[in-house]
């Protein structure tokens, strides 16, 4: 499928991915899910301002996995060197993200999650899976056992200089807290 055909597969307000040659639409999410992603984007943006070797991208960015699937993580970090002359391309990334951030939502199925995890793993992607309900996160790095974090401990990715993710601030979705 070409990029133009992929873009024509849905409406502007929809999100979709190309998985095993088929367009799969991603269900809309609730406001808590969106608030967590918004908080995540703020933290990633702050990190990238301090570490210019990284670029953060939101969920609309498509990346090519080793399987040739196009995945759109909720948020991603990409090394700036992947973009010649630091010019971000219009088409999907011809590469996977360096770090994919996914926020669980109630509509996710175990099968969908398993396929995403496999795509990221086979593509050598660092994965951060955030669970708003359990107020925790799982870090999956190639060649290492998974690590788990809760709101009392910041998530640290050793392979990224100075990277910490404040889960307490990330998961703060109450108007009154």
């Amino acid at each position: 499928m070409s990029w133009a055909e992929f873009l024509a597969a849905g409406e502007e307000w929809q999100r979709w991915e190309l998985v095993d040659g088929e367009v799969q639409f991603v269900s809309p999410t609730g406001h808590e899910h969106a608030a967590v992603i918004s908080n995540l984007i703020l933290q990633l943006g702050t990190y990238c301002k301090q570490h210019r070797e990284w670029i953060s991208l939101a969920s609309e960015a498509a990346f090519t996995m080793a399987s040739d699937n196009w995945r759109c993580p909720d948020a991603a970090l990409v090394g700036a060197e992947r973009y010649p002359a630091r010019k971000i391309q219009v088409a999907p990334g011809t590469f996977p993200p360096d770090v994919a951030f996914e926020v669980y939502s109630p509509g996710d199925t175990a099968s969908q999650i398993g396929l995403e995890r496999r795509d990221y793993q086979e593509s050598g992607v660092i994965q951060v899976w955030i669970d708003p309900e359990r107020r925790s996160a799982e870090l999956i790095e190639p060649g290492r056992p998974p690590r788990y974090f809760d709101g009392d401990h910041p998530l640290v990715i050793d392979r990224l200089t100075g990277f910490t993710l404040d889960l307490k601030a990330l998961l703060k979705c109450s108007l009154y807290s």
Side-chain angles (χ1 to χ4, degrees):
M1 176 176 282
S2 73
W3 180 241
E5 291 170 326
F6 178 69
L7 290 178
E11 300 295 326
E12 188 174 311
W13 56 271
Q14 294 174 315
R15 265 187 71 206
W16 59 96
E17 297 178 324
L18 183 66
V19 178
D20 298 331
E22 294 184 22
V23 173
Q24 291 187 351
F25 290 91
V26 179
S27 299
T29 63
H31 288 202
E32 178 186 48
H33 186 268
V36 170
I37 292 173
S38 180
N39 291 342
L40 175 61
I41 295 296
L42 286 171
Q43 287 192 45
L44 294 179
T46 299
Y47 176 76
C48 290
K49 280 185 180 181
Q50 297 167 353
H51 299 271
R52 306 295 280 170
E53 68 273 20
W54 293 100
I55 296 170
S56 66
L57 298 169
S59 61
E60 291 80 13
F63 294 92
T64 304
M65 300 292 113
S67 63
D68 286 330
N69 288 340
W70 285 339
R71 292 285 183 187
C72 303
D74 289 327
L77 284 175
V78 176
E81 79 280 353
R82 296 232 194 179
Y83 300 106
R86 293 185 68 94
K87 180 169 175 29
I88 298 175
Q89 59 210 49
V90 175
T94 56
F95 48 80
D98 292 296
V99 184
F101 296 85
E102 295 285 1
V103 179
Y104 290 119
S105 61
D108 290 340
T109 67
S111 174
Q112 290 169 320
I113 293 167
L115 289 173
E116 280 185 80
R117 284 177 179 246
R118 188 185 73 213
D119 257 353
Y120 291 139
Q121 182 179 9
E122 289 174 354
S123 300
V125 175
I126 296 171
Q127 305 173 53
V128 177
W129 290 84
I130 299 162
D131 188 338
E133 187 177 321
R134 291 196 170 114
R135 312 205 55 75
S136 64
E138 178 183 16
L139 173 62
I140 303 171
E141 296 179 275
R144 293 184 175 178
R147 293 189 291 157
Y148 302 89
F149 300 83
D150 60 29
D152 294 330
H153 302 94
L155 183 143
V156 176
I157 301 176
D158 299 332
R159 297 176 188 186
L160 277 65
T161 303
F163 183 86
T164 60
L165 190 62
D166 181 347
L167 292 174
K168 192 171 275 188
L170 180 76
L171 297 168
K172 189 178 204 175
C173 295
S174 169
L175 296 174
Y176 305 104
S177 55

